[in-house]
Amino acid sequence: LAKTTQPISMDSYEGQEVNITCSHNNIATNDYITWYQQFPSQGPRFIIQGYKTKVTNEVASLFIPADRKSSTLSLPRVSLSDTAVYYCLVGEDTDKLIFGTGTRLQVFP
Amino acid sequence: NAGVTQTPKFQVLKTGQSMTLQCAQDMNHEYMSWYRQDPGMGLRLIHYSVGAGITDQGEVPNGYNVSRSTTEDFPLRLLSAAPSQTSVYFCASSYSEFTEHSGNTIYFGEGSWLTVV
């Protein structure tokens, strides 16, 4: 199983770009990288998924270097509503995905 | 489109009581699962199912039973509640058991807060 390591917490201010890096040194060939967001008292919500290079959607960008041993979730111009816990998951099988403690992002006005 | 629906939202049980957390999805997803989340912790997988009639254990299955008689429903049963089962429970579903399927998002319910006293 690909273990992931991400910062426990991060602080930012409104309007700034936030980059959360996840380390996954033993990622396997068939593993995909997925990020979820969880607000208090809610279930996690899918943000973005990628395999290699860069993926962008209306919410975030995901940067994956060639060796795939890490990935960076980029949130452009965060707002207060982006305050949440962000989980980095790596795996091929859904039942093997591990939600660790995630990164707690606090956005200040 | 309701997505993943869990009931009840809140429940208080006495030690030794049994109960069932209901979960239903209307997206025709094959894969369904139950997680628990303790304060300040990540989600831990309890049981999962890759299709009707098929269930399997996750990371923390003890004290819980599941069944999957239909594609839509995946109830979680607490056999004899213990204070250690006080937690928030999330039901989830996805199109496939494999993340490689493009857009294989896991959809989560709103959660069920369970307190065992």
Side-chain angles (χ1 to χ4, degrees):
Chain A
L1 296 177
K3 177 176 165 52
T4 61
T5 302
Q6 51 184 125
I8 294 174
S9 64
M10 295 182 69
D11 292 335
S12 183
Y13 291 93
E14 283 191 294
Q16 290 188 331
E17 178 185 74
V18 171
N19 295 309
I20 306 174
T21 297
C22 179
S23 172
H24 29 82
N25 291 320
N26 60 338
I27 188 170
T29 302
N30 294 333
D31 288 345
Y32 277 67
I33 301 160
T34 314
W35 286 79
Y36 283 81
Q37 174 192 56
Q38 185 179 26
F39 297 115
S41 302
Q42 293 186 25
R45 184 181 71 165
F46 172 88
I47 300 176
I48 198 166
Q49 182 182 82
Y51 183 80
K52 61 181 178 180
T53 62
K54 176 184 175 182
V55 180
T56 297
N57 62 23
E58 65 278 6
V59 176
S61 294
L62 178 60
F63 298 91
I64 305 170
D67 66 6
R68 305 202 323 126
K69 293 184 183 299
S70 67
S71 60
T72 299
L73 174 72
S74 180
L75 304 172
R77 298 179 298 282
V78 294
S79 65
L80 295 176
S81 63
D82 292 315
T83 293
V85 177
Y86 293 83
Y87 298 96
C88 166
L89 286 76
V90 173
E92 177 186 10
D93 301 320
T94 306
D95 61 286
K96 301 293 192 299
L97 296 179
I98 298 173
F99 286 83
T101 52
T103 298
R104 189 171 299 274
L105 172 66
Q106 179 69 54
V107 179
F108 295 97
Chain B
N1 190 341
V4 179
T5 303
Q6 291 182 232
T7 56
K9 181 86 170 177
F10 300 98
Q11 182 72 49
V12 179
L13 283 179
K14 293 182 178 179
T15 298
Q17 285 185 318
S18 63
M19 77 157 297
T20 299
L21 299 176
Q22 301 291 345
C23 176
Q25 52 90 10
D26 61 0
M27 297 173 281
N28 201 31
H29 284 168
E30 289 296 322
Y31 182 89
M32 295 187 73
S33 55
W34 277 101
Y35 293 85
R36 62 175 287 175
Q37 185 172 35
D38 300 315
M41 304 282 287
L43 284 79
R44 291 185 292 170
L45 183 64
I46 304 172
H47 284 285
Y48 65 96
S49 167
V50 299
I54 305 170
T55 63
D56 208 343
Q57 297 181 350
E59 180 187 357
V60 288
N62 293 340
Y64 308 95
N65 271 356
V66 291
S67 60
R68 185 92 180 272
S69 57
T70 66
T71 299
E72 295 77 20
D73 300 301
F74 191 46
L76 177 72
R77 298 183 186 85
L78 280 71
L79 309 174
S80 177
S84 61
Q85 294 179 302
T86 294
S87 189
V88 182
Y89 292 84
F90 290 101
C91 180
S93 76
S94 62
Y95 167 75
S96 166
E97 63 189 285
F98 300 110
T99 58
E100 66 182 277
H101 287 109
S102 177
N104 187 33
T105 304
I106 304 175
Y107 293 86
F108 286 85
E110 290 297 305
S112 296
W113 273 253
L114 176 66
T115 300
V116 182
V117 297

